[in-house]
Structure formats: structure tokens, C-alpha cells
Amino acid sequence: FRGGVAMRLNFNTNAKLHEICVIDELRESMAYVYFDEGNAVCSDGYIMAVFKIAEISTIGQEQIELLEGKFIHRSAFKEMLKYDEILIESEFIIAKGKGFDVRLPLKSDIKYRDYKKVIAHVSGSKGSKERIYINSKLLDTLQSCIGSDGSIINMSIGREGMIVNYPEKESYAL
């Protein structure tokens, strides 16, 4: 409790990263949120988002470090958002209910695409674009996850993509 109000100790309810993940039988990892270096990484094949966990949650640094290298399935992530408090353990996230706990499995044996190479490739591409199409629903989804009402779009030079940043945030998406 803080000031007489119950404090949420979880990811923010608007951090709907599960909506960015997709179930793809050929690319199992896309159904998971991946935790790496204090980031929550997710992709649906069209967009790749890298959110700073500290910007989209109220969990402490010790709990963030326990997530390192782990994966949570999109359905478990969605379920987790329903609870005010979570506790992260080595193989589970425990969502605390009123009089009961829910154990949500974490995995560590999934191979995830090297998102840093993807970002470096998009950031370092050369050339120019004359026209682009931006699906506003994708931007809305991203903005909802980070809790931002605006986006800053940095176009890559070439036909490689764009990077979306958010005012006063370190999180970004491709």
C-alpha cells in the first residue's frame, strides 16, 4: 500500500505485449515475450517491439533480473495482467490472487531471433524511400503497450523499415 492505495506490482495493464505476439507453427518463438537485458521483446513478423521492462511495469530490478533469458507464452502474459501482484521465480511467474496463486510457466529453451542484429540492420541501411504506408492500428497497439499518446518515426534509408520511438521513453519498435 502506498498512501492508502493498493500498489500494483506487475506489468502495467496497458502493456498488452501479447497482442504483438502471434501464434505461428513455423516460428514458435513469435508466440512468446522474450526477456533480455531488462527488455521485453515481442514480434508478430510485421513489427518487432523492444520495451524497457522498467517503463512498462512496477516490478523491481531484482525481479527484472530474474526474467533474464526467459520466455512467457502470450496467453500466460495476458493472464498475468489480470493480477495486481506477481512474484518471479526461476521457472514460474506466480500471479497472486485473493486467496489463491496462479503459476505461469517461464521457458528458457526457445531460440529467439537476434533482435539486436535486426535493429542494427534496419538502423544502418542505405538508400531512400519515396513513399511509405503506415498501418495506424499497428502504431496504436505499440502506443497502448508503452502508455504513450505519440510516436516518433525514424525512417531507415533504403527499403529496410522504420524504427518507432516514444517521447521520454527508451523503448522502441521496428
Side-chain angles (χ1 to χ4, degrees):
F1 285 89
R2 186 179 285 171
V5 177
M7 186 176 136
R8 183 175 173 85
L9 189 59
N10 194 345
F11 283 78
N12 303 335
T13 55
N14 64 341
K16 298 176 182 175
L17 279 58
H18 58 279
E19 292 182 0
I20 298 173
C21 299
V22 67
I23 295 182
D24 185 327
E25 292 176 10
L26 299 176
R27 298 174 290 183
E28 178 191 14
S29 65
M30 294 181 104
Y32 289 84
V33 176
Y34 172 48
F35 300 105
D36 182 56
E37 297 182 2
N39 298 312
V41 183
C42 48
S43 178
D44 68 358
Y46 294 99
I47 58 176
M48 177 179 282
V50 181
F51 296 106
K52 292 284 183 192
I53 297 171
E55 292 180 349
I56 61 170
S57 77
T58 56
I59 61 175
Q61 188 60 37
E62 286 181 20
Q63 294 282 287
I64 291 172
E65 289 171 8
L66 288 172
L67 288 171
E68 181 65 28
K70 302 285 189 343
F71 296 82
I72 187 169
H73 193 271
R74 65 189 300 272
S75 60
F77 191 91
K78 181 179 180 180
E79 180 68 19
M80 177 183 70
L81 293 179
K82 296 176 183 177
Y83 299 89
D84 287 333
E85 185 179 350
I86 60 170
L87 177 65
I88 298 159
E89 293 187 348
S90 61
E91 296 180 14
F92 295 94
I93 291 179
I94 300 172
K96 303 221 169 249
K98 293 183 179 177
F100 65 94
D101 294 342
V102 177
R103 292 167 52 111
L104 304 166
L106 290 170
K107 289 188 163 195
S108 57
D109 60 347
I110 296 172
K111 184 173 168 109
Y112 201 81
R113 184 169 187 173
D114 188 344
Y115 70 95
K116 293 176 191 167
K117 283 186 181 177
V118 173
I119 293 161
H121 179 72
V122 172
S123 298
S125 59
K126 296 183 173 140
S128 67
K129 288 189 176 197
E130 295 177 17
R131 296 177 1 158
I132 63 165
Y133 170 78
I134 298 174
N135 182 331
S136 61
K137 289 181 183 179
L138 295 176
L139 286 177
D140 288 345
T141 298
L142 291 169
Q143 288 173 193
S144 174
C145 287
I146 191 69
S148 177
D149 58 2
S151 302
I152 301 166
I153 299 173
N154 298 298
M155 301 303 300
S156 69
I157 302 171
R159 298 181 182 264
E160 305 300 332
M162 64 184 184
I163 297 178
V164 181
N165 298 101
Y166 308 95
E168 300 177 20
K169 307 277 186 187
E170 289 185 45
S171 299
Y172 55 91
L174 300 177

